[in-house]
Amino acid sequence: MRVDIYCLLYYFFCLCYYKISGFIIFFMSLGGNVIMKEWYKELVVYQIWPRSFCDGNGDGIGDLEGVLSKLDYLQDLGINCIWFSPLYPSPNADFGYDIADYRDIHKEYGNLDLFKQVLDGAHQRGMKVIMDLVVNHTSDVHEWFIKSKDPSSPYHDYYFWRKGRLGGKLPPNNWLSCFEGKAWEKDEKSGEYYLHVFAKKQPDLNHDNPKVRQEVKDIMKFWLDMGVDGFREDVITFISKRKGLPNGIPLPIGCGIEHYMDGPNIHKYLGEYREVTDKYDCFTVGEAPMMTPDNALKYVDEKKKELDMMFHFQHIEADAFLIDFLQTKFKLKEMKKAFTNWQNKLNGRAWNTLYIENHDHPRIISRYGSEKYRVESGKMLANMYMLQQGTPFVYQGQELGMLNTRLDSIDDYVDCFVKNNYEVAINKLHMNKKKAFEFAVKSTRDNSRTPVQWDDSKNAGFTTGTPWFPVNKNYKQINAKAEMADPNSIYNHYKKLIKFKKENEVAKWGDYKEYYKNSDKLYVYSRSYNGKSMLVINSFSPERVPFEAPKGFDLDKGTPILCNYENNFVQQNGFKLRPYEARVYLFD
Ligand code: NOJ
């Protein structure tokens, strides 16, 4: 009898244990912080757009020799991963995003041996290296495309070749290219059209063809076997097109996109590519235009990851309608809403990327900050995005506070996207030329693609030759040498910030909470982790703005760090923030 009671008690305890632990897991998954601490979540990634980074051989074009010479600079900055924008052979219709050979290095940049030296050099310095994987399209000079022009070739079905409508007079459907005119180009010899959702020289690959998917897997293996640590996957959510390629909603921009964004087989194809990367100790980050956090979870949820992280565009569109060219007034509230939404929705379920500048957008100080308050606003913007939860990405020159450029005429620009937008604005939206040019100057990708300013010598120390694209005229004042020498520079702020982000547990793993949601001048949030917290205060205003510490934060008890004005302020819970002031307080 006694034994039975013990048995009963034992069963009772077991039941309670399982119920309680079940509840704990249930509540944790509801909103608690169940973050898997994978290594890629502790990286700070630096993006190199090779053509403009550093020229090692004096031909005016950035190259791998130049990169080799700057590995110590990158290590000193504290970054621990490099993302290379395309280094592959390319006719440069879209500066490398039109690839002619996936298994080689462009002659302008060096060769595979030199790349291996860079890879080893980076690894020796504790830095990972990821490649850009551009497989939505190839270049039109890729051998697959050249062979595919023959309708009887096995490569024909590597691309989307279709007969035109009206006996070939009209393209197969009404889709528009994101970069230039219609999304179809006719091959006069065969009379068929091929699809290009980007530039004419970027024909789309047909991932419905298993042979194409095998090629992609082989390309991934090629680089992973060489030792690279992962991929940034270009417009990867565009790779599955709707069957039959039906007409799109007839809009002047982006017509047809609804038939290839998150297409019908996207998860199947990404699942297959994931099987390759799962065999290696690597990570992937996918580029996903028009992505929402709910949709993103279908790709990056910890429980079923097709990608480890995702670049979305919602926060950077706070001053534009769909594309940077269509500018609107900058609305801080929209930017905050997007950041907060991604922070909250992904927390504990997936991992965010953190970026505000890259090779596709203008420079952030000119865009969201102030050139007049360059140093203050540059540091504030850095704190603002990097101290959120996620893996931060820094774009070359961002750490130097580089600014937008201004050239004299549209013909001086080289970005195919801006040239197309300028034409569309004039011819379809009936904008006058002057206004269209101003929109172009502000939005062009060329703004972030000017050569990196290393010092105040000729051509900013970027090259001993003639730079392929004009160096920004402000290089005498803004350059790495000057930035490194000044303890209060933007560069030295990034250096401190990167170190802090890599080392501080709250900055890495903490939960996020936003305050002052309705302010169009202040962006204030806190992070908390294991009983510690951090308050991040950012002013986006050139004026003084009154500030009251949010309830529960006594600034007297906090430790101020990473501020962008001298730390001469009296600790109070209510005060006026100075132009673009940024303060961070830590609480134990
Ligand atoms: C996104 C890349 O970031 C951009 O530079 C490129 O032009 C398009 N994808 C097309 O590859």
Side-chain angles (χ1 to χ4, degrees):
M1 186 65 186
R2 270 181 74 172
V3 175
D4 286 349
I5 287 173
Y6 281 129
C7 278
L8 273 174
L9 278 175
Y10 175 75
Y11 281 124
F12 178 72
F13 274 116
C14 284
L15 198 70
C16 289
Y17 175 78
Y18 285 119
K19 283 274 178 230
I20 290 168
S21 52
F23 272 125
I24 292 173
I25 290 169
F26 174 71
F27 280 117
M28 277 169 79
S29 65
L30 269 187
N33 213 342
V34 219
I35 297 170
M36 309 284 290
K37 295 189 172 170
E38 284 112 334
W39 56 262
Y40 65 82
K41 296 177 179 168
E42 300 191 53
L43 297 176
V44 178
V45 186
Y46 189 91
Q47 182 193 351
I48 292 186
W49 196 76
R51 203 171 177 78
S52 285
F53 184 66
C54 181
D55 176 16
N57 66 1
D59 66 355
I61 297 171
D63 51 35
L64 288 172
E65 262 181 60
V67 174
L68 261 184
S69 73
K70 297 294 178 193
L71 285 179
D72 288 338
Y73 167 86
L74 296 176
Q75 185 183 28
D76 196 47
L77 178 61
I79 63 106
N80 46 12
C81 181
I82 300 171
W83 150 28
F84 280 110
S85 273
L87 287 164
Y88 319 96
S90 162
N92 281 329
D94 188 20
F95 295 112
Y97 285 90
D98 46 326
I99 298 175
D101 181 352
Y102 287 96
R103 289 182 176 76
D104 204 353
I105 297 291
H106 198 315
K107 277 206 293 291
E108 286 175 339
Y109 299 145
N111 52 39
L112 278 172
D113 284 340
L114 200 50
F115 176 74
K116 283 183 201 140
Q117 277 184 53
V118 170
L119 185 62
D120 291 346
H123 284 163
Q124 278 152 19
R125 291 168 176 82
M127 296 179 225
K128 307 276 182 190
V129 173
I130 64 167
M131 298 296 270
D132 222 308
L133 185 76
V134 188
V135 290
N136 176 67
H137 41 266
T138 66
S139 157
D140 66 341
V141 302
H142 193 291
E143 63 161 340
W144 300 337
F145 185 72
I146 293 170
K147 289 181 182 159
S148 82
K149 290 184 186 179
D150 173 359
S152 63
S153 156
Y155 288 94
H156 196 58
D157 195 32
Y158 268 43
Y159 297 86
F160 294 92
W161 284 103
R162 297 287 184 276
K163 293 202 172 12
R165 290 170 294 170
L166 282 185
K169 287 198 196 75
L170 284 183
N173 68 23
N174 68 350
W175 294 7
L176 292 177
S177 140
C178 303
F179 280 179
E180 42 183 353
K182 301 220 172 356
W184 295 93
E185 221 49 46
K186 193 171 184 177
D187 178 59
E188 290 308 331
K189 196 163 169 217
S190 69
E192 288 189 334
Y193 289 81
Y194 68 86
L195 176 70
H196 61 92
V197 307
F198 289 94
K200 287 179 194 156
K201 291 178 72 59
Q202 292 171 300
D204 279 55
L205 276 170
N206 174 16
H207 289 248
D208 298 333
N209 180 345
K211 285 191 199 148
V212 169
R213 302 206 296 279
Q214 191 53 51
E215 298 275 12
V216 172
K217 292 176 212 169
D218 291 346
I219 292 164
M220 292 172 110
K221 283 188 218 146
F222 175 84
W223 291 101
L224 291 168
D225 285 339
M226 193 184 294
V228 309
D229 304 286
F231 300 103
R232 175 266 186 188
E233 303 186 5
D234 190 65
V235 286
I236 199 68
T237 47
F238 285 10
I239 61 172
S240 165
K241 273 75 177 173
R242 191 167 317 285
K243 208 166 169 218
L245 310 178
N247 276 333
I249 302 165
L251 298 170
I253 290 175
C255 173
I257 199 163
E258 70 276 24
H259 296 306
Y260 55 82
M261 196 175 63
D262 302 309
N265 292 313
I266 184 71
H267 296 292
K268 174 174 184 270
Y269 301 162
L270 288 185
E272 284 185 24
Y273 301 150
R274 179 81 196 184
E275 281 173 23
V276 176
T277 52
D278 268 347
K279 297 199 178 84
Y280 296 80
D281 187 21
C282 67
F283 76 100
T284 55
V285 46
E287 187 203 27
M290 295 180 172
M291 184 55 63
T292 63
D294 293 305
N295 193 12
L297 286 168
K298 296 183 192 142
Y299 295 82
V300 293
D301 196 314
E302 299 271 8
K303 291 196 207 94
K304 191 191 145 290
K305 275 193 283 194
E306 289 158 9
L307 297 163
D308 293 302
M309 290 182 277
M310 185 165 261
F311 285 129
H312 67 90
F313 290 62
Q314 290 196 312
H315 59 297
I316 51 169
E317 283 161 0
D319 64 348
F321 177 67
L322 295 177
I323 52 172
D324 289 352
F325 187 86
L326 297 176
Q327 289 140 48
T328 57
K329 190 171 174 295
F330 171 55
K331 292 172 279 312
L332 176 62
K333 273 199 244 177
E334 268 187 32
M335 179 184 259
K336 296 194 297 184
K337 205 167 126 200
F339 269 127
T340 298
N341 202 16
W342 280 82
Q343 287 289 306
N344 290 341
K345 293 231 165 101
L346 266 54
N347 187 25
R349 295 189 63 187
W351 195 245
N352 266 294
T353 55
L354 304 172
Y355 81 97
I356 41 171
E357 188 163 302
N358 67 28
H359 66 297
D360 284 336
H361 304 283
R363 294 282 182 184
I364 49 170
I365 295 175
S366 307
R367 185 173 187 179
Y368 310 118
S370 155
E371 293 190 1
K372 179 171 166 209
Y373 291 104
R374 185 182 75 88
V375 177
E376 292 81 358
S377 66
K379 294 179 184 176
M380 182 278 290
L381 289 164
N383 283 6
M384 183 276 294
Y385 86 101
M386 247 203 221
L387 292 172
Q388 299 187 26
Q389 190 189 80
T391 298
F393 289 71
V394 179
Y395 176 65
Q396 64 187 34
Q398 178 185 334
E399 80 282 15
L400 307 175
M402 282 177 63
L403 304 176
N404 281 354
T405 190
R406 187 180 181 96
L407 305 178
D408 296 335
S409 110
I410 193 72
D411 300 328
D412 298 332
Y413 288 91
V414 291
D415 167 15
C416 60
F417 193 24
V418 87
K419 283 175 183 281
N420 182 54
N421 290 332
Y422 176 79
E423 292 302 323
V424 171
I426 292 169
N427 299 326
K428 297 216 171 128
L429 307 177
H430 309 293
M431 211 181 260
N432 72 48
K433 279 195 174 167
K434 204 166 159 225
K435 190 164 178 202
F437 183 62
E438 284 314 311
F439 270 44
V441 168
K442 271 197 173 170
S443 67
T444 176
R445 305 187 295 178
D446 290 333
N447 278 316
S448 52
R449 297 174 177 188
T450 57
V452 171
Q453 294 158 214
W454 293 106
D455 57 39
D456 62 0
S457 68
K458 200 170 169 221
N459 300 321
F462 163 73
T463 180
T464 50
T466 308
W468 74 278
F469 191 68
V471 173
N472 195 314
K473 293 193 187 88
N474 61 23
Y475 74 91
K476 295 254 178 216
Q477 297 80 46
I478 304 172
N479 60 66
K481 193 170 166 211
E483 287 283 313
M484 290 167 85
D486 172 4
N488 292 319
S489 67
I490 298 183
Y491 166 87
N492 277 309
H493 184 84
Y494 269 93
K495 204 169 155 174
K496 277 185 240 150
L497 179 60
I498 290 170
K499 184 168 188 298
F500 177 74
K501 176 77 183 179
K502 286 194 309 190
E503 290 172 359
N504 186 278
E505 297 288 300
V506 184
K508 271 193 286 196
W509 311 115
D511 282 343
Y512 166 100
K513 183 167 180 210
E514 192 196 344
Y515 308 87
Y516 280 92
K517 281 196 176 144
N518 287 322
S519 169
D520 52 12
K521 298 193 172 80
L522 299 182
Y523 185 6
V524 182
Y525 63 86
S526 66
R527 306 277 313 279
S528 47
Y529 185 73
N530 275 350
K532 296 190 175 170
S533 57
M534 168 170 77
L535 187 67
V536 184
I537 307 165
N538 305 291
S539 169
F540 275 72
S541 174
E543 315 290 334
R544 289 183 148 243
V545 185
F547 174 80
E548 230 9 275
K551 233 173 152 186
F553 289 96
D554 181 357
L555 300 191
D556 249 346
K557 302 211 168 94
T559 313
I561 54 158
L562 296 167
C563 305
N564 61 354
Y565 282 85
E566 298 283 304
N567 262 359
N568 58 358
F569 44 78
V570 186
Q571 299 283 67
Q572 288 169 334
N573 287 319
F575 51 88
K576 279 194 171 170
L577 287 162
R578 286 160 284 188
Y580 296 97
E581 185 159 357
R583 295 189 187 189
V584 180
Y585 289 86
L586 278 182
F587 301 87
D588 273 333

